[in-house]
Each structure stands twice: as structure tokens, then as C-alpha cells.
Amino acid sequence: RLMDWLTKKIMKPRKSVGLRIFAMPTLQLGDLVQISYLNKNNFNEIADPDAQYVIYSISYARDSSGPSMEVFLSEVA
């Protein structure tokens, strides 16, 4: 039964998202976040605004426009 449960969890397709955001040092690997993003037409591009994502990669950068960070997220079941 355990293998059946694992197979069902693994086989479900998950969304992976990469975002470039203003640097937030309080975000850490493993944090659970939700995404709310509106494009220019005020249309929510994420299908499920209640979906949760786990942060699995973070990188920081700095340029003439200021500090930024890139976070990579994977949808949580």
C-alpha cells in the first residue's frame, strides 16, 4: 500500500516556477509560498491561486536597478 501511495504522489504532474523578485532575505529553502501574479490585463496566470509551492533554489544578484533574487519553486501535493 505504501508503494501504491508513493506512486500516486509521484506520478501526478507538478508545476515548476522560476521567479525573479526583489531580494527578501527572510525567504529560505524549504519555505512554503503561494503565488499571486496578475499580468498587464489583470488576469491571474497561475491556474490555482490556493496552490502551495516549496522553495528549492535561491540565488541573489545585484545590478544598477538594485538587489534581486531568483527563486525556483515546485508545487506541493
Side-chain angles (χ1 to χ4, degrees):
R1 287 193 289 166
L2 178 60
M3 189 57 127
D4 183 49
W5 179 81
L6 281 172
T7 304
K8 287 180 183 174
K9 290 290 185 182
I10 292 172
M11 296 306 290
K12 181 182 176 192
R14 308 265 184 248
K15 289 183 183 175
S16 293
V17 181
L19 300 171
R20 179 173 230 159
I21 60 174
F22 186 78
M24 297 174 56
T26 56
L27 286 180
Q28 299 178 7
L29 295 178
D31 282 355
L32 292 177
V33 296
Q34 290 179 306
I35 301 171
S36 178
Y37 173 77
L38 299 177
N39 67 10
K40 294 177 184 176
N41 299 325
N42 289 333
F43 177 73
N44 191 346
E45 301 223 354
I46 304 298
D48 184 7
D50 295 326
Q52 288 191 328
Y53 298 84
V54 64
I55 299 174
Y56 69 85
S57 178
I58 298 175
S59 63
Y60 294 93
R62 183 179 58 156
D63 58 17
S64 61
S65 63
S68 67
M69 69 190 289
E70 244 181 344
V71 293
F72 293 93
L73 316 169
S74 181
E75 187 177 20
V76 177

